[in-house]
Amino acid sequence: KAILIRINSPGGSTGATQEIAEEMDKIRSSKKPIVISMGDMCASAGYWLASKGNYIFASPATMTGSIGVYIQHMNIAKMLAEWGIEVEFVKNGKFKTSGNAYESLSKDDRAYLQAMVDERADEFFAAVAEFRGVEESVVKGTDARVMRPSEALSLGLIDAAESPTTAVASFVAELGNAADEP
């Protein structure tokens, strides 16, 4: 009658998330409900996938949210210089080496990477708002913080905060009642 997906994840890459989300869309379009059970953590890309569920429940201790995107940049140039190592790039294209670990971000590199992050974040916000039926401003207003189930419930980001056994039993009963309706 439904597909139960257990998600216990701090997040992941946007590419893999998008691929899994597309498969979940196919399931939803087949009219088979998707029930999401959140583990200890269901955040960032994990939450993006969870938002695709028809019914989302968190365990009472679940940490969820972190609705946002980032690109990490690590600059190891000083460490390498101490070791007498210098890295140089021969490149074609202004942004070919943007974000590399061997030099600081230039103003243009930072703006370029920020634009990428902002574009993907806007997609994330829109997806959550659409599938959860909440205003995009609510999603953005979380400021990518991780939250307890009570806050996620009050914002409409989950449907229940209860044990997996109780939540699944409630949803199955709801499915049975829906099947009895004319």
Side-chain angles (χ1 to χ4, degrees):
K1 290 188 176 187
I3 294 176
L4 174 66
I5 300 174
R6 176 82 166 166
I7 302 175
N8 191 22
S9 172
S13 71
T14 56
T17 300
Q18 195 157 10
E19 289 176 20
I20 296 168
E22 287 172 7
E23 292 302 315
M24 292 175 76
D25 286 340
K26 290 176 189 173
I27 294 167
R28 282 180 65 111
S29 68
S30 74
K31 305 295 185 206
K32 185 167 282 212
I34 299 173
V35 178
I36 303 295
S37 167
M38 294 179 164
D40 295 333
M41 179 164 282
C42 185
S44 196
Y47 182 78
W48 189 333
L49 294 176
S51 74
K52 296 274 188 173
N54 300 86
Y55 181 77
I56 303 170
F57 68 90
S59 297
T62 297
M63 299 302 290
T64 191
S66 189
I67 303 169
V69 178
Y70 73 92
I71 291 176
Q72 180 178 339
H73 175 262
M74 184 185 324
N75 184 345
I76 62 170
K78 288 181 184 176
M79 179 184 70
L80 292 177
E82 287 177 15
W83 294 347
I85 300 171
E86 185 178 317
V87 177
E88 292 185 74
F89 292 98
V90 177
K91 64 181 181 177
N92 178 294
K94 178 178 179 177
F95 295 107
K96 184 62 179 171
T97 60
S98 293
N100 75 77
Y102 307 110
E103 57 192 6
S104 296
L105 291 175
S106 70
K107 186 177 178 181
D108 287 344
D109 286 342
R110 184 173 297 282
Y112 165 66
L113 295 174
Q114 186 65 56
M116 287 175 45
V117 166
D118 292 345
E119 181 180 358
R120 182 56 87 169
D122 286 344
E123 292 170 6
F124 192 174
F125 301 148
V128 170
E130 176 186 352
F131 282 101
R132 293 305 302 157
V134 299
E135 293 294 321
E136 206 168 309
S137 61
V138 170
V139 179
K140 287 181 181 179
T142 66
D143 287 324
R145 71 182 174 279
V146 175
M147 61 192 86
R148 306 270 309 169
S150 57
E151 183 179 8
L153 188 60
S154 73
L155 295 173
L157 300 177
I158 63 172
D159 298 303
E162 54 197 8
S163 74
T165 304
T166 303
V168 170
S170 297
F171 186 74
V172 168
E174 200 175 296
L175 280 177
N177 291 337
D180 296 337
E181 295 174 9

